Amino acid sequence: MKNNYQSPKMITFAKKKKYVLNLIQDQHTLELLAECLNEKQWQQCFSNPKIYQQIFILALKHLYQTQNFEEMEYELMMMNCLFSHQEYMQLKEQIFRKIVKKSIALQEYCVIRYLIPFERMSLMEIMSILYHQYHVEALECAKMCLLEDQYHLAYQYLLKLESCEDEIVLDLLGSYSMKDYLSLMRHYTKQSSYQLVMSH
């Protein structure tokens, strides 16, 4: 569903260039970067510590000015493909700690996915941490799995529910795997039959 921009390679040179040029205020740096016609020239400019730091500070200001999770998601997506130094990594950890202090739903996860090291943990491990340590609801975990096109993992979280009233989630699971969808429906029918027996 969502494009996976965890890999910097997924962001095109044109998109990176446009983002950075919109940040730059210094005319000399603006002209220097505007003249870059390919990735190699761009990397040469970016390897200049002064230019790199200047762009990082401007990007940081932009990030702090975001008004909602959607804007924050975009800023982090772009910053992830430009920066990888220690200060940026520490900043991402700080943002993560702030977000997880509140209840986590899909919109928070869309930001979190740019803060966590996907290259060091599988989605299954990440979901397990969110579910067990941060008490994210099973339905929300299922939505996050579907967002990442991991329908079978979504099915595992939907199995934790006694029933699911979210038709969109169920339809989406069905579009991925009719087998999982039917199995889930049987599970919910058994749960409701069990509840009915217990109530008498």
Side-chain angles (χ1 to χ4, degrees):
M1 283 178 68
K2 274 266 182 189
N3 287 324
N4 186 359
Y5 288 121
Q6 292 305 326
S7 168
K9 292 174 185 173
M10 298 297 288
I11 304 286
T12 63
F13 166 63
K15 197 165 188 174
K16 279 190 281 192
K17 187 174 177 179
K18 184 182 176 184
Y19 171 77
V20 171
L21 293 181
N22 284 336
L23 294 175
I24 302 291
Q25 294 156 346
D26 174 61
Q27 193 60 36
H28 174 70
T29 309
L30 189 64
E31 287 171 9
L32 197 67
L33 288 165
E35 287 171 6
C36 294
L37 299 176
N38 55 48
E39 193 79 43
K40 190 178 178 183
Q41 292 174 340
W42 180 264
Q43 290 302 331
Q44 283 174 344
C45 282
F46 236 72
S47 63
N48 180 323
K50 190 179 172 184
I51 291 174
Y52 182 92
Q53 192 61 24
Q54 181 188 355
I55 294 167
F56 178 64
I57 290 165
L58 291 168
L60 214 52
K61 284 180 183 174
H62 242 241
L63 178 65
Y64 290 145
Q65 287 167 0
T66 55
Q67 301 292 311
N68 53 53
F69 282 113
E70 199 173 337
E71 288 176 11
M72 188 183 282
E73 180 188 351
Y74 174 75
E75 294 298 323
L76 287 166
M77 178 183 83
M78 296 310 297
M79 289 178 78
N80 273 5
C81 74
L82 295 169
F83 311 112
S84 58
H85 61 296
Q86 190 61 30
E87 189 184 347
Y88 180 54
M89 295 301 139
Q90 288 169 347
L91 171 76
K92 291 205 293 184
E93 284 177 25
Q94 288 167 15
I95 296 170
F96 176 80
R97 283 198 293 270
K98 283 179 182 173
I99 290 175
V100 294
K101 280 181 181 174
K102 59 175 288 190
S103 61
I104 303 166
L106 199 59
Q107 65 172 2
E108 287 83 7
Y109 175 73
C110 286
V111 170
I112 286 172
R113 72 202 290 265
Y114 292 100
L115 302 173
I116 48 185
F118 271 87
E119 66 279 1
R120 293 208 298 268
M121 281 187 286
S122 69
L123 184 68
M124 186 182 289
E125 289 170 312
I126 290 163
M127 285 300 129
S128 180
I129 291 167
L130 291 174
Y131 181 72
H132 291 106
Q133 289 183 29
Y134 296 104
H135 311 293
V136 177
E137 292 177 10
L139 179 59
E140 291 302 323
C141 286
K143 289 177 186 177
M144 293 166 194
C145 295
L146 288 169
L147 183 85
E148 302 291 5
D149 290 333
Q150 297 292 324
Y151 68 88
H152 198 64
L153 192 54
Y155 166 77
Q156 297 299 326
Y157 281 99
L158 289 169
L159 272 180
K160 296 178 187 294
L161 303 171
E162 289 180 2
S163 65
C164 179
E165 304 303 320
D166 194 322
E167 291 295 326
I168 295 169
V169 169
L170 294 174
D171 288 347
L172 197 53
L173 180 73
S175 72
Y176 278 111
S177 168
M178 189 50 69
K179 182 185 172 186
D180 282 350
Y181 174 82
L182 293 172
S183 173
L184 199 60
M185 291 303 102
R186 283 195 297 272
H187 169 75
Y188 291 153
T189 304
K190 281 180 188 174
Q191 291 295 317
S192 61
S193 299
Y194 177 74
Q195 294 292 333
L196 198 63
V197 169
M198 293 299 288
S199 64
H200 284 296

